[in-house]
């Protein structure tokens, strides 16, 4: 019997497991197929200001999580000696037309009022930040506090740090159902019939969360949304910062690679890379940065983002006692990992969570079954 069983070893599950183990709890992570989740496919943009559609609970949650990243990264470096590629590199959001630039200005007005770092730029000012941007770029906004991370390195470090903190990982373990006795979760049953008991159960199964029996989630509470990425490997680094533009974003790596992402597609659980997506992403990327035209193509891949109907993550406890949800992070699960872990830990420790969780309640319409 563990204190906590965590269903799914993606970024939500691993950061939560690590934080719980550091509080002295015994934690068991059950993972069907390590590497299958969205966390290994992500572009690693820590971009609450880029992603915000106005002020609101999600924007505030994302900003709170960005603020927690330096502490998480430092603790991972201390525990593992690994560099997870966290860089406060800043980000540009750009447009090709004056109308597009005005749209960005309107979108970020609340951020300026809220005192967040945002600088409006014309075309020349944007190119002063990123000289490789093409002459067509008409301006946009510069967000100095946005960051990036390397998700595969983050996942490796989280796993090692969690194991060193005492977390037990079981790969190849597919959870079929959550066991509930008298309204209280008591653990899980695996596909092979084995049961694993725990005082607390944490559901972090990403796009597959609604498929697990007994959670109380509606069948369509979380659906997969495919994202495809194309990697370019220019001979010399083209960009230092993240760039969001029409039709794609560009996320650079220290070694000069540029990740061009990402599509947003309801395509079921099919993780294909398609000709159309590669064409569209490359067309958009080369319009933004023509200097990438001669860059060798690297890998292509895709992943499945956990999409809740209303695009708000599902965080907290629902009708079933001792069952905590930490899923439905959609486009921002890497960004939201540190705050998710803090929320899960607070709820299990019986403490006040760091933010008001009511907008993210598992009991809200469309999410509860
Ligand atoms: C192309 C792409 C780009 C992205 N870019 C960014 C970005 O730049 N920044 C950002 O913040 N976010 C980004 N995201 C979103 C982010 O990746 C996700 O929100 C996040 O990874 C979700 O993490 P998770 O742990 O909830 O789910 P996952 O990483 O999907 O993990 C869930 C795990 O549960 C396991 N599982 C499922 N069912 C079972 C079961 N029955 N039993 C046992 N295990 C099970 C799965 O195998 C999986 O490993 C991107 C996503 C994609 C696809």
């Amino acid at each position: 019997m563990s204190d906590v069983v965590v269903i799914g070893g993606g970024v939500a599950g691993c950061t939560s497991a690590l934080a719980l183990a550091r509080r002295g709890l015994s934690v068991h992570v059950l993972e069907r197929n390590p590497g299958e989740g969205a966390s290994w496919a992500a572009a690693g943009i820590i971009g609450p200001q880029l992603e915000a559609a106005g002020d609101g609970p999600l924007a505030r949650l994302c900003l709170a999580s960005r603020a927690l990243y330096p502490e998480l990264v430092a603790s991972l470096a201390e525990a593992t000696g690994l560099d997870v590629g966290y860089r406060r590199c800043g980000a540009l959001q750009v447009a090709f037309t004056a109308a597009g630039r005005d749209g960005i200005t309107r979108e970020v007005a609340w951020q300026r009022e809220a005192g967040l770092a945002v600088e409006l730029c014309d075309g020349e000012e944007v190119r002063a930040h990123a000289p490789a941007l093409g002459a067509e770029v008409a301006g946009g906004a510069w967000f100095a506090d946005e960051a990036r991370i390397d998700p595969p390195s983050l996942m490796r470090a989280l796993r090692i740090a969690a194991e060193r903190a005492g977390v037990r990982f079981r790969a190849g373990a597919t959870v079929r159902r959550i066991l509930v006795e008298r309204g209280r979760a008591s653990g899980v049953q695996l596909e092979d019939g084995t049961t694993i008991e725990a005082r607390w159960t944490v559901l972090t199964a990403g796009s597959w969360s609604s498929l697990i029996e007994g959670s109380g989630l509606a069948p369509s509470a979380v659906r997969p949304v495919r994202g495809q990425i194309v990697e370019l490997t220019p001979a010399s680094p083209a960009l230092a910062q993240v760039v969001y533009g029409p039709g794609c974003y560009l996320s650079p790596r220290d070694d000069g690679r540029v990740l061009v992402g990402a599509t947003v597609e309801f395509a079921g659980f099919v993780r294909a890379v398609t000709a159309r997506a590669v064409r569209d992403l490359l067309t958009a990327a080369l319009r933004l940065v023509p200097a990438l035209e001669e860059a060798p193509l690297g890998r292509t891949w895709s992943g499945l983002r956990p999409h809740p109907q209303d695009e708000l993550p599902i965080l907290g406890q629902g009708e079933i006692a001792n069952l905590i949800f930490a899923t439905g992070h959609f486009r921002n699960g890497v960004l939201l990992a540190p705050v998710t872990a803090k929320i899960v830990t607070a709820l299990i420790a019986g403490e006040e969570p760091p933010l008001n969780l009511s907008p993210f309640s598992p009991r809200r319409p469309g999410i509860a079954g």
Side-chain angles (χ1 to χ4, degrees):
M1 163 89 111
S2 310
D3 291 320
V4 187
V5 64
V6 177
I7 308 170
V11 74
C14 286
T15 42
S16 299
L18 173 61
L20 290 163
R22 285 181 170 165
R23 289 285 198 102
L25 296 168
S26 60
V27 186
H28 208 148
V29 177
L30 304 174
E31 169 54 52
R32 181 178 51 200
N33 183 13
E36 188 181 24
S39 303
W40 290 267
I45 300 166
I46 312 294
Q49 292 177 253
L50 290 166
E51 284 284 321
D55 198 0
L58 180 57
R60 295 291 161 170
L61 185 75
C62 288
L63 286 165
S65 203
R66 183 182 69 184
L68 293 169
Y69 247 103
E71 180 191 323
L72 173 66
V73 167
S75 85
L76 289 174
E78 195 183 323
T80 67
L82 294 174
D83 173 11
V84 295
Y86 173 78
R87 306 286 179 261
R88 192 176 152 268
C89 59
L92 287 163
Q93 185 175 0
V94 300
F96 289 124
T97 62
R101 198 180 61 203
D102 293 346
I104 294 173
T105 303
R106 280 193 300 276
E107 274 170 33
V108 301
W110 73 270
Q111 299 187 14
R112 303 178 81 199
E113 280 163 28
L116 298 172
V118 45
E119 184 189 305
L120 298 174
C121 303
D122 62 21
E124 291 315 307
E125 288 163 339
V126 153
R127 274 180 289 279
H129 284 290
L133 285 173
E136 258 196 280
V137 174
W142 164 245
F143 306 95
D145 289 340
E146 302 284 61
R148 63 178 158 88
I149 201 162
D150 183 54
S153 306
L154 174 65
M155 293 308 297
R156 201 172 314 123
L158 281 170
R159 169 85 189 239
I160 294 169
E163 279 177 336
R164 288 187 179 161
V167 175
R168 282 172 300 152
F169 283 85
R170 182 150 158 199
T174 303
V175 174
R176 180 193 299 162
R177 73 165 60 93
I178 293 164
L179 301 171
V180 181
E181 288 168 22
R182 293 187 294 282
R184 181 174 292 273
S186 60
V188 300
Q189 183 182 46
L190 304 184
E191 283 296 352
D192 66 7
T194 316
T195 59
I196 295 170
E197 294 185 350
R199 288 197 300 119
W200 290 87
T201 301
V202 181
L203 180 53
T204 56
S207 292
W208 300 268
S209 297
S210 297
L211 303 180
I212 293 169
E213 295 167 28
S215 74
L217 287 179
S220 60
V222 184
R223 291 202 292 157
V225 167
R226 184 167 69 192
Q228 302 186 45
I229 289 191
V230 180
E231 179 189 64
L232 298 175
T233 61
S236 56
L239 290 172
Q241 57 288 96
V242 170
V243 176
Y244 264 41
C248 76
Y249 58 68
L250 306 171
S251 182
R253 290 291 175 269
D254 290 350
D255 60 8
R257 284 178 300 136
V258 176
L259 308 192
V260 183
T263 57
V264 179
E265 308 161 78
F266 286 92
F269 287 95
V270 180
R271 281 181 59 198
V273 173
T274 63
R276 180 170 59 192
V278 173
R279 178 198 64 195
D280 291 349
L281 289 170
L282 288 179
T283 303
L286 298 184
R287 192 171 170 208
L288 278 173
V289 182
L292 286 172
E293 272 175 7
E294 297 303 323
L297 275 175
R299 295 181 308 128
T300 57
W301 65 87
S302 75
L304 302 175
R305 305 179 188 88
H307 177 270
Q309 275 186 3
D310 53 10
E311 301 193 354
L312 293 175
I314 304 166
L315 299 169
Q317 193 164 294
E319 297 297 336
I320 301 169
N322 291 34
L323 171 61
I324 307 289
F325 293 86
T327 186
H329 293 87
F330 190 35
R331 296 170 60 94
N332 289 304
V334 176
L335 161 62
L336 287 169
V339 81
T340 297
K342 280 241 187 292
I343 290 167
V344 170
T345 313
L347 293 172
I348 289 180
E351 297 164 1
E352 196 62 31
L355 287 99
N356 170 21
L357 295 183
S358 54
F360 313 113
S361 171
R363 298 178 190 181
R364 65 192 194 263
I367 299 299

